[in-house]
Amino acid sequence: MRKVNVAKITAAVKKICIDTNYKVDPDIIKAFKTGLRREKSPVGREILRQLICNADIARRERIPICQDCGLAVVFVEIGQDVKLVGGGLRQAIEAGVRQGYQQGYLRKSVAKDPMIRVNTGDNTPAIIHTEIVTGDKLRVTVAPKGGGSENMSRLKMMKPADGEAGVKELVRETVREAGPNPCPPIVLGVGIGGNFEMCAILAKKALLRKLGKPNQDKRLAKLEQDLLRIANDSGVGPQGAGGTVTCIGVAVESRPCHIASMPVAVNVNCHVSRHGSKII
Amino acid sequence: MAINKPVRITTPLSNVDVQKLKVGMPVLISGVLYSARDSAHKRLVELLDKGKKLPIDVKGQIIYYMGPSPPPPGRPIGSAGPTTSYRMDPYAPRLMAIGLKGMIGKGTRSDEVKAAIKKYKSVYFAAIGGAGALISKCIIKCDVVAYDDLGPEAIRRLEVRELPAVVAGDMYGGDIYEIGVKRYRKK
Ligand code: SF4
């Protein structure tokens, strides 16, 4: 057994919360620049220019990229040969989020009760997904997720007969109806298969993939390309003001499911698309 | 829609100011704005229901749908981009009825809001969602003026200089989200 002190997890979570909120992923900036060449709408191009400028100001002047600094979604893969010492895992993660959001001047956006709506004041609790894997390492991933784009996400229990065409239709509908609300250009994570909760987790995990990296399965990589085209044909454009660059990346994850079902989840992310990992 | 040179506007806005603003026009807004989001709107409308006075005078003013991140040392405010406007749709017509002239947010509005914009000669601007750092640089002063207990959702009085936005809904019924998307949609 390899001993890992949970204080290391706290430190990693804190650092990723802060870093991802101040530094736009270089792949996203690259996508803005490519988009600038592809975008047909002048208003759309102006918006992309301002987003590039925003990323620059955020990094240079230490102002968060977006005021919605997100709900902290944390994935932890724990090697089965790791023994955690020094405290509880959940407490360690929450401490990292609390410290990151307080010391990083990040906005706290958690309501204590979904119906009473009082702010918890420190951005906890986080959403935590843990998984036991082989080995003696531990991987922490934090993905602060904005509310505007999360609200436009969807889950549908489809019929097996709906097949690939059904997935395409769902993505088409989701992007069109979301329009300007998720702050396009967007990134889409699509989870297909599993069951009700698993397809949503798959969709969320798909958003963690490096932007533009295709699925290793050729058929799914082709589906990602098709879905990207479908999203861009929507005409929604940057900020929904009309244009040709609506989406800058689609990642699909798929897994086996019940013979009677075809669950599909579309997790919409905005251009801020924050995520970072650390192996401990 | 070609990009024209941005029109400079200064708050408070009069009917004459609003008449000149048409969908798609880029603007640079200077002057005083008030920020308010969901919870603050709920409280304002509850006061109106009870016939009480509001903590801010909205006449001729612009409300910015925004809840900032905390100010880092040495700055008046943190990141300060717009939040999604449709959540304020149930409240916005009530405020326009008592003189609110403009709103800044992002995203589509309801038919009721669009009708109220026409009726009360008001205007809806869209700022860039997710450009909170860039917009922060246009805010020179920020004071909480009501509902401090709401944290990021408190009402703030903001002094802004050349805050970039675009007219997204005008008093003639124009809606950038309909016009723009129609133009680029395939099938
Ligand atoms: S959807 Fe993203 S870019 Fe838009 S306000 Fe929320 S976090 Fe910011």
Side-chain angles (χ1 to χ4, degrees):
Chain A
M1 286 301 238
R2 176 175 163 252
K3 283 189 185 164
V4 172
N5 194 308
V6 293
K8 285 196 176 151
I9 299 173
T10 300
V13 169
K14 172 184 161 185
K15 184 168 188 310
I16 303 170
C17 286
I18 297 175
D19 288 353
T20 53
N21 266 296
Y22 283 89
K23 204 167 166 274
V24 178
D25 183 343
D27 296 321
I28 297 274
I29 300 193
K30 226 196 294 168
F32 287 157
K33 292 187 176 157
T34 322
L36 206 47
R37 287 195 293 274
R38 275 198 5 247
E39 179 54 65
K40 296 217 171 79
S41 149
V43 175
R45 283 200 297 275
E46 177 57 25
I47 290 166
L48 291 169
R49 269 194 287 273
Q50 295 205 17
L51 289 176
I52 294 169
C53 184
N54 184 66
D56 207 44
I57 294 173
R59 186 179 40 83
R60 273 191 295 113
E61 308 213 15
R62 300 291 297 165
I63 305 174
I65 307 160
C66 180
Q67 75 291 337
D68 181 352
C69 302
L71 173 61
V73 181
V74 182
F75 289 89
V76 198
E77 288 168 52
I78 309 164
Q80 60 192 17
D81 299 327
V82 169
K83 179 167 170 45
L84 293 173
V85 297
L89 175 64
R90 168 166 281 279
Q91 288 78 355
I93 294 170
E94 303 288 18
V97 170
R98 196 174 300 121
Q99 290 170 16
Y101 277 74
Q102 252 146 22
Q103 294 167 30
Y105 301 98
L106 303 178
R107 197 183 80 186
K108 291 85 184 164
S109 314
V110 178
K112 191 170 184 177
D113 181 295
M115 281 165 290
I116 301 172
R117 319 291 316 174
V118 176
N119 199 305
T120 61
D122 62 2
N123 219 48
T124 70
I127 305 285
I128 304 175
H129 301 285
T130 49
E131 197 179 331
I132 307 289
V133 297
T134 53
D136 66 353
K137 296 261 185 319
L138 190 147
R139 180 206 285 272
V140 190
T141 303
V142 187
K145 183 69 170 73
S149 53
E150 193 74 353
N151 285 347
M152 296 297 119
S153 303
R154 290 198 183 183
L155 191 156
K156 192 168 176 189
M157 301 304 285
M158 295 192 149
K159 294 191 291 293
D162 293 331
E164 199 176 292
V167 175
K168 289 180 176 168
E169 188 49 36
L170 182 66
V171 166
R172 192 180 125 99
E173 249 177 55
T174 305
V175 173
R176 291 184 177 208
E177 279 174 34
N181 297 335
C183 298
I186 54 173
V187 178
L188 295 174
V190 183
I192 309 170
N195 62 356
F196 184 75
E197 80 276 10
M198 182 54 76
C199 71
I201 294 175
L202 282 179
K204 183 70 81 194
K205 280 191 175 168
L207 289 176
L208 304 176
R209 203 194 297 159
K210 184 176 160 62
L211 189 76
K213 187 174 168 218
N215 192 303
Q216 295 197 340
D217 179 321
K218 285 230 167 66
R219 181 180 52 94
L220 295 177
K222 162 86 172 41
L223 178 61
E224 289 172 348
Q225 282 309 311
D226 292 347
L227 294 176
L228 181 65
R229 206 195 49 248
I230 287 168
N232 284 325
D233 283 350
S234 68
V236 167
Q239 293 295 308
T244 45
V245 180
T246 304
C247 181
I248 52 177
V250 179
V252 173
E253 294 293 340
S254 163
R255 57 161 286 155
C257 62
H258 193 283
I259 51 171
S261 355
M262 195 176 96
V264 184
V266 183
N267 199 185
V268 181
N269 207 355
C270 53
H271 58 82
V272 180
S273 187
R274 296 159 281 213
H275 54 90
S277 296
K278 184 172 167 75
I279 295 172
I280 299 171
Chain B
M1 238 175 287
I3 290 241
N4 302 310
K5 256 189 77 174
V7 177
R8 282 163 206 279
I9 56 173
T10 306
T11 64
L13 300 181
S14 66
N15 277 348
V16 180
D17 295 325
V18 171
Q19 270 164 15
K20 291 185 206 147
L21 300 170
K22 311 231 167 83
V23 145
M25 268 186 185
V27 294
L28 293 171
I29 306 170
S30 300
V32 170
L33 307 175
Y34 290 97
S35 74
R37 293 174 41 114
D38 314 44
S39 306
H41 272 81
K42 187 160 174 254
R43 289 190 190 180
L44 291 177
V45 168
E46 276 165 9
L47 286 179
L48 288 180
D49 285 343
K50 289 186 199 137
K52 292 204 176 134
K53 199 168 164 272
L54 302 189
I56 52 168
D57 183 6
V58 298
K59 210 164 262 151
Q61 295 300 339
I62 298 180
I63 288 186
Y64 181 18
Y65 300 147
M66 186 275 292
S69 64
R75 302 204 83 95
I77 197 168
S79 197
T83 193
T84 313
S85 306
Y86 73 82
R87 298 194 316 270
M88 270 53 77
D89 284 356
Y91 311 112
R94 294 288 300 277
L95 298 175
M96 284 186 256
I98 57 162
L100 181 73
K101 276 291 171 202
M103 296 149 284
I104 310 173
K106 67 175 172 93
T108 46
R109 307 305 304 261
S110 67
D111 289 340
E112 289 76 19
V113 170
K114 289 193 225 172
I117 289 175
K118 258 177 142 169
K119 180 167 172 199
Y120 301 113
K121 295 196 172 49
S122 178
V123 59
Y124 171 49
F125 303 99
I128 299 184
L134 183 130
I135 296 172
S136 174
K137 296 273 290 169
C138 307
I139 300 174
I140 43 191
K141 197 161 181 287
C142 165
D143 297 294
V144 172
V145 290
Y147 310 145
D148 203 5
D149 62 300
L150 293 178
E153 298 206 47
I155 298 184
R156 289 171 168 80
R157 180 182 182 279
L158 309 169
E159 277 177 41
V160 303
R161 190 161 48 209
E162 302 192 338
L163 186 147
V166 56
V167 178
D170 61 24
M171 55 173 270
Y172 310 100
D175 178 351
I176 199 171
Y177 300 112
E178 276 173 20
I179 307 168
V181 172
K182 217 180 267 163
R183 176 144 179 195
Y184 295 98
R185 179 158 289 183
K186 294 188 187 155
K187 290 170 276 183

